[in-house]
Amino acid sequence: MGGSLVAMTSDSAHRNGCRDGQENGCGNGPDGGRGNGAAGWAAVEAAVPEFAAAVRARFGAYRHHVLATLRKDGAPRLSGLEADFRYGELWLGVMIDSRKALDLRRDPRFALHANPGGGTDLADSDVRVAGRAVEVTDPGPKARYAAAVKPPEPFHLYRALLTEVVRTSTEPPFIKLEIWRPGRPLRTIRRTSDGAPPKYPEALEERE
């Protein structure tokens, strides 16, 4: 299944009409959707399928999520966003000429945090992704996406190239962090709320 997902990403990238020159990884060659240290969603599913399924399910629990982009002065901007997983990709649909769209055109870096829902615990985990948003300009793929999703039109469509995927959950007495980055194995860090060092010494480099 992983191989077919990677092939799907490679095939879809040639049809996605990414903005020329915006990202070296936009073409999605045989590296499974990686480019400049970033990867398409299918590469995540191929590398760590169970982890990817948990992250996708968490995003799927709610419709609206929180997008972070960079303003012109470098300050963060938080906006609501509907994220969509299909065709082996994570897509970001954005209202035409909105502030967040202008942010992404100027600087494609973003972070997306899944809607935390109600309550204050981590019963369903907490997930976030970060990376670069590559705008899709080819009318064919945009029309295909619009037919399936039916977003308000006109709109900007971005394909997410991910540099980090993080899932936080509880494993009493620990807070458990699972971190995936392209080209590296999945890392698991367990921390406690008393400020003690992470359970595994080799995870010290991941402290944030």
Side-chain angles (χ1 to χ4, degrees), residues 33 145 189:
Y145 179 88
I189 304 170

Side-chain angles (χ1 to χ4, degrees), residues 104-168:
L104 291 173
R105 281 192 164 182
R106 183 173 52 252
D107 188 328
R109 290 176 294 173
F110 76 94
L112 182 66
H113 193 289
N115 188 325
T120 59
D121 58 19
L122 290 176
D124 296 323
S125 77
D126 184 79
V127 301
R128 68 181 188 273
V129 301
R132 299 189 295 276
V134 180
E135 186 169 8
V136 178
T137 57
D138 188 321
K142 282 191 70 174
R144 179 190 183 200
Y145 179 88
V149 180
K150 296 179 172 54
E153 296 195 47
F155 67 101
H156 297 288
L157 181 62
Y158 296 87
R159 169 178 168 262
L161 282 178
L162 303 173
T163 56
E164 183 177 70
V165 183
V166 180
R167 180 174 184 256
T168 305

Side-chain angles (χ1 to χ4, degrees), residues 51-68:
F51 172 74
V55 170
R56 180 170 177 169
R58 185 65 186 78
F59 273 110
Y62 296 93
R63 184 174 181 179
H64 295 98
H65 307 288
V66 180
L67 176 73

Side-chain angles (χ1 to χ4, degrees), residues 10-11 24 35 40 52 69 71 77 83 118-119 122 129 138 150 160 165 169-170 175-176 183 192 198:
S10 179
D11 178 59
N24 290 341
T69 56
R71 299 171 186 263
R77 186 195 308 277
L122 290 176
V129 301
D138 188 321
K150 296 179 172 54
V165 183
S169 58
T170 56
I175 296 293
K176 177 182 174 183
T192 60

